[in-house]
Amino acid sequence: MKISVFGFLTLAFLLCVSIPSATSDLASINFLKCFQSKTNLSVSNSSSNVIFTATTSSYTSILQSSAQNLRFVTKSTPKPQLIIRPLGKSHIQAAVTCSKENNINIRIRSGGHDYEGLSYVSHIPFIIVDLSNLRSIKIDIENQIAWVDSGATLGELYHAIAEKSKIYGFPAGTCPTVGVGGHLSGGGMGTMCRKYGLAADNVIDARIVDANGRVLNRKSMGEDPFWAIRGGGGASFGIIFSWKIKLVPVPSTVTMFLIQKSLEQGATKFVQKWQLVANKLSKDLFIRVIIGVADSASGNSNKTIVVTFAAVFLGRREQLLTMMENSFHELGVEQKDCIEMSWIQSVLYVAGFSTEGSYNVLLNRTNTNKSYFKAKSDYVKEPISEKGLEGLWKILIEEESGYMIWTPYGGRMGEISEFQIPFPHRSGNLYEIQYIVTWEAKKETEEHLNWIRRLYGYMTPFVSKNPRSAYLNYRDLDLGINRNENESYGQASVWGLKYFNSNFKRLAQVKTQVDPSNFFCHMSKLTIQMGTEVVHLHTEQKEGKMCMRKLGFVTGNPKFYKSLSGLAICHLQENKAAEVTQPTIKATHIAIEGWISYRRMLEDCSNLEAVLWGLLWGFEMIKDQEMPVVQIINDGTSPLVLRVRFGF
């Protein structure tokens, strides 16, 4: 018998997808009443700058202010019933509490750069909690730390650091209008990742409003949730409104170069060599490859592939030249190619700004280069052959607005454990690929989507396998979404494993612990899929009972959770992690008999094997029932696991 996928999250899912229009209108009215009563704010009070309804004059401009992908800024795109722009944590708490009371879905937006628009689009009635008013940044140079609010942009963070110091920075992304909240919660990859790892690797505390409206920090939320929000997609677990980060030393002088090579200039050979050396270079040297299409130098109408080698070196020109001569002399980097500057100037340079002017340009939160676009990602573990590259060029050259960015790994990225945070793409990865295509008109969408999917398909033999990995911050719904409540955990894992590899299972467990009602649900693969058909029984009696009550609620059998609560207590007296695949109601009675039998056999609950035999005895007492399949698993790296799969 096939068991429903999401177990106790099934009801929450159904609520997310089946709210009638009239009900949602009433819910939004009740939400407003609730929110106003808790905050003393009014929609009519425009000075509050917090609540915006569809009839508010600034509603549309605020909705579109940080929406970066024009695919999701159309007349047909679902719009939020309300936009809440909190001025403090109490407003976030009120938004969560009132949304939960009225069954309204929440989208959380910091910078609006989500590639699939999931921070501001939903196909069920929803509100947006827009964190753009929360952008306080407090720099503590003496202790080499900073507190930064989720609504701040990377540009504002870099600016604030530069105002305090010329010898400290932060290893995050290159686009200054990206919001801190989404960037850190998805990993955060930048030009210093080979030296210091991801942005999320340098988070040391956070403040979050959970599904119960509580404000928690690292200590009060616990290490498992703190692990999950650093690279596991924070919006699945709560509203993170502030982050404590570790600043990193940067030299007074940083050196840059940009070298371009076309096919006619031997670009293929240079790319082949780059694949061999880029991940082995000094941690101080980061050479990213950008591959695109340009007019041929021959002057005719032909197109060619142009490869740009873009370097950021944490040191002086002379050191860089020596390093390149020793490791990648084929590229022919000369002194005239190298430009020395400060670290903050390098931030401007990489972002496409002049290094001669003020870095106040980083305070501009508006991205003026919005377009329709689609992106995908991959990881490469073995160099792509010359033949493979030549086939790639043939597809790329078909699309003038398509390009690829190859980001080298190695260095610190290869030293950090794949289990340190949910982001698992560490040792063994040569580089990460980002595929991007942009276009100008909605009518061109299908054509360009087909092209990038064909490009992605071509790359299949050359990239990671089992799973074919992807980077969460380059979110790609082509990898899968949850379409209905009958999908299994195994089906969800097909795309969950791509982002998180084996960390996906732990994320599912944390989601179950911190948000058992699935309040922070998305119609995407990264939130609802956190619901799992496997129920994790925790090490404390109270937690075990809580998990079992969820199952009892779904089955409607009160004896069910009482009996399995007892099993949870006994299984975990010695901190053993037990997992029981969700049984049917019929199997529930067998579990009850197994529990009773076990208690008769052995009063000392510390013996996991005795629990197993108790279950088997219980099955034997039911004459018309098949025996279960029972496994005890101990791979030496995880706690002992008991799996009981009921055999019918």
Side-chain angles (χ1 to χ4, degrees):
M1 177 175 179
K2 183 174 176 61
I3 308 302
S4 177
V5 184
F6 296 117
F8 67 82
L9 293 183
T10 300
L11 181 61
F13 181 91
L14 292 173
L15 288 173
C16 280
V17 298
S18 60
I19 302 174
S21 175
T23 303
S24 62
D25 290 342
L26 178 60
S28 64
I29 293 172
N30 289 335
F31 171 89
L32 274 177
K33 291 179 180 178
C34 174
F35 189 82
Q36 291 168 358
S37 70
K38 293 180 180 296
T39 61
N40 295 318
L41 296 174
S42 170
V43 177
S44 60
N45 180 8
S46 59
S47 63
S48 72
N49 196 33
V50 173
I51 309 170
F52 303 88
T53 70
T55 59
T56 306
S57 60
S58 55
Y59 171 88
T60 300
S61 62
I62 290 172
L63 175 61
Q64 297 180 359
S65 61
S66 62
Q68 306 298 330
N69 194 339
L70 296 183
R71 288 170 58 205
F72 308 108
V73 187
T74 67
K75 290 183 179 180
S76 60
T77 302
K79 307 296 190 297
Q81 295 175 319
L82 300 164
I83 301 173
I84 304 296
R85 301 180 83 182
L87 297 176
K89 62 185 178 183
S90 63
H91 293 168
I92 300 175
Q93 291 175 282
V96 169
T97 301
C98 295
S99 294
K100 194 170 186 179
E101 288 179 5
N102 293 283
N103 292 322
I104 296 178
N105 192 234
I106 283 183
R107 287 291 180 268
I108 306 159
R109 182 169 74 176
S110 55
H113 279 260
D114 187 294
Y115 278 10
E116 298 283 8
L118 295 182
S119 62
Y120 52 93
V121 176
S122 175
H123 294 283
I124 58 177
F126 71 107
I127 68 170
I128 291 177
V129 175
D130 184 322
L131 300 176
S132 57
N133 283 334
L134 299 179
R135 52 181 191 265
S136 169
I137 303 171
K138 298 177 180 178
I139 308 293
D140 181 353
I141 293 297
E142 182 179 353
N143 293 300
Q144 302 171 33
I145 59 171
W147 274 102
V148 53
D149 285 353
S150 288
T153 64
L154 296 183
E156 289 172 330
L157 173 59
Y158 297 150
H159 183 279
I161 296 172
E163 288 285 278
K164 296 288 186 178
S165 171
K166 297 184 183 302
I167 58 171
Y168 284 99
F170 187 68
T174 60
C175 179
T177 57
V178 166
V180 165
H183 189 67
L184 269 59
S185 67
M189 187 164 52
T191 61
M192 292 198 291
C193 67
R194 300 191 67 250
K195 178 73 171 180
Y196 296 114
L198 303 175
D201 292 322
N202 293 276
V203 171
I204 53 180
D205 203 346
R207 295 175 180 142
I208 183 173
V209 175
D210 73 356
N212 296 314
R214 299 176 301 174
V215 175
L216 306 173
N217 59 16
R218 177 175 183 172
K219 183 178 180 180
S220 54
M221 78 174 81
E223 286 302 305
D224 280 346
F226 182 65
W227 172 86
I229 64 176
R230 294 173 295 153
S236 297
F237 306 97
I239 300 182
I240 306 153
F241 61 90
S242 193
W243 306 79
K244 186 179 183 181
I245 59 174
K246 180 173 58 179
L247 303 182
V248 300
V250 295
S252 57
T253 301
V254 175
T255 305
M256 321 285 288
F257 72 69
L258 286 177
I259 302 289
Q260 290 190 327
K261 299 291 184 180
S262 66
L263 290 184
E264 294 77 12
Q265 294 171 316
T268 303
K269 295 294 185 183
F270 294 120
V271 171
Q272 283 187 295
K273 181 60 183 284
W274 177 89
Q275 292 185 96
L276 298 176
V277 303
N279 70 311
K280 300 181 180 70
L281 296 170
S282 164
K283 295 178 184 179
D284 293 322
L285 179 54
F286 174 92
I287 306 178
R288 176 177 280 170
V289 166
I290 301 102
I291 307 170
V293 181
D295 292 329
S296 173
S298 61
N300 54 33
S301 59
N302 293 336
K303 299 293 181 181
T304 189
I305 296 295
V306 172
V307 179
T308 302
F309 297 86
V312 179
F313 176 63
L314 301 175
R316 302 195 69 89
R317 179 189 294 119
E318 291 77 13
Q319 296 170 285
L320 174 58
L321 288 171
T322 300
M323 200 172 294
M324 292 300 295
E325 179 62 28
N326 292 336
S327 302
F328 197 180
H329 65 88
E330 295 89 344
L331 195 58
V333 179
E334 301 178 4
Q335 184 166 331
K336 64 180 177 61
D337 301 315
C338 301
I339 308 171
E340 292 186 336
M341 60 189 71
S342 66
W343 175 76
I344 194 62
Q345 286 177 315
S346 77
V347 170
L348 296 173
Y349 187 88
V350 173
F353 297 120
S354 169
T355 58
E356 301 300 322
S358 169
Y359 57 81
N360 286 340
V361 67
L362 295 174
L363 298 177
N364 185 359
R365 296 175 60 90
T366 304
N367 180 8
T368 58
N369 298 316
K370 295 182 181 181
S371 64
Y372 296 84
F373 72 87
K374 173 66 179 177
K376 302 175 81 66
S377 63
D378 259 323
Y379 283 88
V380 177
K381 295 178 177 292
E382 299 289 341
I384 301 173
S385 65
E386 181 176 357
K387 183 178 179 181
L389 292 175
E390 289 172 349
L392 173 59
W393 306 153
K394 290 178 182 178
I395 299 177
L396 273 174
I397 211 163
E398 297 174 9
E399 178 56 71
E400 292 185 42
S401 62
Y403 59 99
M404 302 169 71
I405 301 173
W406 295 10
T407 298
Y409 275 24
R412 183 63 180 145
M413 289 296 289
E415 295 171 352
I416 299 173
S417 166
E418 64 182 293
F419 308 112
Q420 185 69 31
I421 64 173
F423 178 97
H425 316 296
R426 305 291 188 170
S427 178
N429 290 288
L430 300 181
Y431 56 95
E432 180 269 339
I433 295 177
Q434 181 178 190
Y435 312 86
I436 303 178
V437 62
T438 64
W439 60 98
E440 299 300 322
K442 182 180 178 181
K443 63 182 180 181
E444 302 171 5
T445 298
E446 185 175 357
E447 171 192 347
H448 290 89
L449 291 180
N450 288 338
W451 175 83
I452 196 170
R453 287 164 181 163
R454 185 160 55 87
L455 173 63
Y456 184 76
Y458 171 81
M459 291 293 289
T460 302
F462 310 112
V463 298
S464 60
K465 299 171 180 64
N466 301 317
R468 183 174 182 175
S469 296
Y471 175 36
L472 178 60
N473 272 354
Y474 300 156
R475 202 186 309 265
D476 177 12
L477 293 187
D478 288 351
L479 301 182
I481 60 174
N482 294 305
R483 300 184 183 279
N484 59 67
E485 70 273 22
N486 293 317
E487 292 187 24
S488 69
Y489 175 76
Q491 289 171 316
S493 296
V494 169
W495 49 85
L497 292 174
K498 291 179 184 293
Y499 290 114
F500 306 114
N501 292 3
S502 59
N503 290 332
F504 176 65
K505 188 173 183 179
R506 183 178 175 188
L507 281 170
Q509 181 177 2
V510 176
K511 171 67 173 178
T512 303
Q513 292 172 357
V514 303
D515 186 17
S517 66
N518 199 28
F519 171 68
F520 291 107
C521 67
H522 285 183
M523 289 296 291
S524 78
K525 55 198 169 301
L526 295 172
T527 313
I528 288 186
Q529 75 182 38
M530 293 304 178
T532 167
E533 67 175 335
V534 177
V535 178
H536 297 261
L537 311 180
H538 307 297
T539 59
E540 295 178 11
Q541 175 177 341
K542 181 178 179 182
E543 293 177 345
K545 287 183 177 179
M546 179 181 69
C547 282
M548 293 306 100
R549 285 194 181 102
K550 300 302 184 300
L551 282 175
F553 175 72
V554 172
T555 64
N557 186 332
K559 292 183 178 180
F560 184 38
Y561 72 76
K562 290 179 182 177
S563 62
L564 287 185
S565 292
L567 279 174
I569 299 166
C570 281
H571 284 181
L572 297 152
Q573 286 291 315
E574 295 183 343
N575 294 335
K576 291 183 170 64
E579 299 178 348
V580 182
T581 303
Q582 292 177 15
T584 61
I585 296 177
K586 184 176 181 181
T588 296
H589 299 294
I590 300 167
I592 293 172
E593 296 296 337
W595 164 240
I596 294 171
S597 301
Y598 164 70
R599 290 292 296 170
R600 289 171 181 167
M601 286 176 60
L602 186 68
E603 290 299 320
D604 179 9
C605 295
S606 64
N607 190 326
L608 186 65
E609 193 171 359
V611 176
L612 185 153
W613 283 110
L615 283 170
L616 289 176
W617 192 355
F619 269 86
E620 289 181 330
M621 292 172 66
I622 309 296
K623 299 299 183 183
D624 62 343
Q625 178 60 57
E626 295 180 25
M627 293 293 289
V629 178
V630 181
Q631 296 174 296
I632 294 183
I633 300 172
N634 188 356
D635 60 8
T637 61
S638 59
L640 192 62
V641 173
L642 170 67
R643 296 182 187 274
V644 182
R645 298 192 178 278
F646 291 87
F648 38 76

